[in-house]
Amino acid sequence: MAFDPQREDYQRLGLRFASTLDTSSPAEATRAFATFGRRFARERDTLPQSDGDRAFHLVATAAKHIDYELPFADDAEAEKLIQRGHALLDEALQLDARCYDAMRMKAAADNPSFEAFFSYLTEHAEEVRRTCEEQRDHILANDDADERTLLAADIAMRPYLRWIATQAEQALICGRNREALRLARVDLEADPRDVADARFTAAFACAKLEDEQALDELLHGAAAKRRIRPANDAWALIARLALAHKHYDLPAASALLNELIRTYPHAAESFVRQIELPEGVFARLSVRPYSEDELVLAISEATVLLQEGRDPEGRGVLSAWVAAQAAQTLPRAVLQMLAEQAEANARATGRGADHGKQGGSR
C-alpha cells in the first residue's frame, strides 16, 4: 500500500474544504466541490488551509524532490534538489513546529550515521505517539464517526506510523534485528492494515534472526488475514528464500527464486544486477504492487540478507548464489548487455554512495 505524500496532501485539503460546506445545501456543496480539483492543482492558495496543512504540502513537495527525483538526477541537478528539499523542510517547521514528518526527514540529513539517526528516532518516538494520539482522539470526540471523521483520525496518526516504520528500518540496518521486529510489530498493532508496510521490515528481521515461526505468524497468522494483500510479495518470498539458503535447502531456495521470477517482470535481470537504491526519506517509496520497481526496491532493502558473509569474489554468499541462479535463466545476449551496463556503471562518476540515502548526509 505505502504512503503517497501527494495523495495525502490532496486528502488533507479535501477534508478541510468539505468542512466549509457543511452549512451549504446539497446542490451548493456539489457545485463547490466540482471546482476543488482544479483549485487544488492551480490555485491552491485560494483553498482554506491551516499552517499544518501548508507545512505538510511543503513536506510532500520535498519528498517529491528527494525521494522520487533525486535518484535519477545528474550531479549538478542532484545538489539543487537536495538544497531545495532541505529548504522546504525548514520552511515547514517554521509553519508547524510539530510537523513530525519534516522533523524526521530533516533529522535523517542532520545525523551523521545510521546509529545516530536511530537514536534520534528513539528519543522522540514517545512524544510523536502522544501528540498524534491526542489529535486523533480530539477528532473522534468532537465529531460523529462518519467516513470523513474516520479519514481525518487516520491522517492524524500517519506521522507516528511513518516514524515507527522508519525507526524499525533503521534498527534493521544497524543490526538491531530483535528491535526491528519489535518496532514493526508496534506499527502493525497501531495499524493492522499496514499502510506503512512494516511487515516488509519485519520479514527481513525474522530472516536475520532465523526465526521461521515468527515469519510464518507474520505472513499467515490472524493479523495477516486482515490485510488486503496476500503474503506473496517480494519481501516475504526473499525472506523465505534467505532462510532456506541458510539451512542449505537449495531446492526450496531455488523454488522460491523461480516463484519470484514468475511473479515479477524482468526479475532475473533484477537479481543479476542487484541495484542498491537510496531509501525513501518520507516513507518507503510508493510503487505498484508486483511491478519491476517493487522488486528492485525489495532487492535493495534485502542487502542486509544478500551481503551476509563473503564469497571468493567479495560478494555476499546469498547475493552470489541468487545472481548465478538467475543468470542461468537469461539468454546470452541479455547477460552480455547486463555485463556492459555494469562495466559502464563502474566507470561512471555516479554520486550514489556520496549522496547516500539522505541526500548527501550519509
Side-chain angles (χ1 to χ4, degrees):
M1 296 173 68
F3 291 107
D4 183 337
Q6 308 303 318
R7 174 176 170 78
E8 189 166 329
D9 187 27
Y10 183 92
Q11 289 175 323
R12 289 177 67 109
L13 258 64
L15 286 170
R16 183 79 58 186
F17 185 67
S19 69
T20 67
L21 304 177
D22 287 342
T23 58
S24 303
S25 69
E28 291 172 334
T30 299
R31 284 195 299 271
F33 214 87
T35 68
F36 174 77
R38 176 184 57 78
R39 291 175 65 186
F40 178 85
R42 301 179 188 176
E43 302 171 333
R44 180 189 176 89
D45 288 343
T46 68
L47 291 169
Q49 52 196 297
S50 67
D51 283 347
D53 296 329
R54 294 185 180 90
F56 187 84
H57 175 65
L58 295 170
V59 165
T61 306
K64 181 181 71 170
H65 293 326
I66 297 172
D67 288 351
Y68 293 91
E69 296 175 359
L70 179 60
F72 308 102
D74 59 29
D75 284 353
E77 182 62 22
E79 192 58 39
K80 294 178 184 176
L81 288 171
I82 293 167
Q83 292 177 359
R84 197 177 308 154
H86 291 178
L88 289 166
L89 296 176
D90 288 337
E91 187 178 349
L93 287 169
Q94 289 174 5
L95 283 168
D96 180 6
R98 295 199 300 184
C99 182
Y100 291 118
D101 288 307
M103 283 177 58
R104 177 175 51 82
M105 293 165 72
K106 186 168 169 52
D110 291 344
N111 284 276
S113 69
F114 293 114
E115 281 285 355
F117 185 37
F118 175 74
S119 295
Y120 174 88
L121 294 169
T122 302
E123 180 182 352
H124 295 280
E126 180 59 23
E127 171 197 340
V128 179
R129 182 195 63 79
R130 186 174 59 253
T131 302
C132 290
E133 287 183 350
E134 287 173 356
Q135 292 174 349
R136 177 201 61 193
D137 293 346
H138 177 76
I139 291 167
L140 294 175
N142 286 277
D143 282 299
D144 296 328
D146 58 12
E147 184 175 343
R148 200 168 73 193
T149 300
L150 294 176
L151 176 58
D154 176 65
I155 288 174
M157 287 299 295
R158 290 180 190 176
Y160 172 66
L161 298 176
R162 286 189 281 266
W163 193 282
I164 298 300
T166 303
Q167 194 180 352
E169 291 163 11
Q170 293 301 306
L172 184 66
I173 292 169
C174 294
R176 299 170 180 263
N177 302 313
R178 294 191 186 283
E179 183 67 359
L181 182 56
R182 185 191 71 80
L183 289 164
R185 285 169 169 164
V186 169
D187 215 317
L188 287 165
E189 185 176 346
D191 179 24
R193 300 167 306 154
D194 193 24
V195 179
D197 291 331
R199 69 192 183 283
F200 295 165
T201 304
F204 285 174
C206 290
K208 291 286 286 184
L209 293 166
E210 300 187 38
D211 191 336
E212 290 187 73
Q213 182 177 346
L215 181 60
D216 286 342
E217 177 62 25
L218 173 74
L219 301 181
H220 305 296
K225 292 175 180 154
R226 297 201 296 271
R227 294 177 206 134
I228 296 172
R229 189 172 173 185
N232 63 346
D233 55 78
W235 286 264
L237 294 173
I238 291 173
R240 290 169 55 202
L241 187 160
L243 279 172
H245 189 268
K246 285 182 179 184
H247 296 158
Y248 303 105
D249 188 351
L250 297 186
S254 296
L256 287 161
L257 179 59
N258 289 334
E259 185 176 350
L260 281 157
I261 290 172
R262 288 193 303 270
T263 302
Y264 285 89
H266 309 296
E269 293 97 316
S270 297
F271 278 110
V272 171
R273 284 200 203 97
Q274 294 182 29
I275 297 171
E276 190 170 352
L277 299 173
E279 292 181 15
V281 181
F282 174 75
R284 181 177 274 110
L285 299 182
S286 179
V287 292
R288 187 166 52 84
Y290 307 110
S291 65
E292 180 182 4
D293 287 341
E294 180 175 83
L295 179 62
V296 169
L297 182 60
I299 291 173
S300 177
E301 293 186 17
T303 298
V304 295
L305 297 169
L306 294 168
Q307 296 301 326
E308 284 185 324
R310 283 291 180 266
D311 77 333
E313 296 182 1
R315 299 182 75 168
V317 174
L318 181 59
S319 170
W321 182 85
V322 167
Q325 295 297 309
Q328 293 178 15
T329 71
L330 294 171
R332 183 173 299 178
V334 174
L335 288 172
Q336 178 64 30
M337 178 193 70
L338 292 174
E340 290 172 356
Q341 288 178 349
E343 185 178 349
N345 290 338
R347 290 197 307 265
T349 56
R351 71 187 188 288
D354 296 330
H355 288 302
K357 92 177 190 82
Q358 313 299 347
S361 64
R362 286 184 268 163

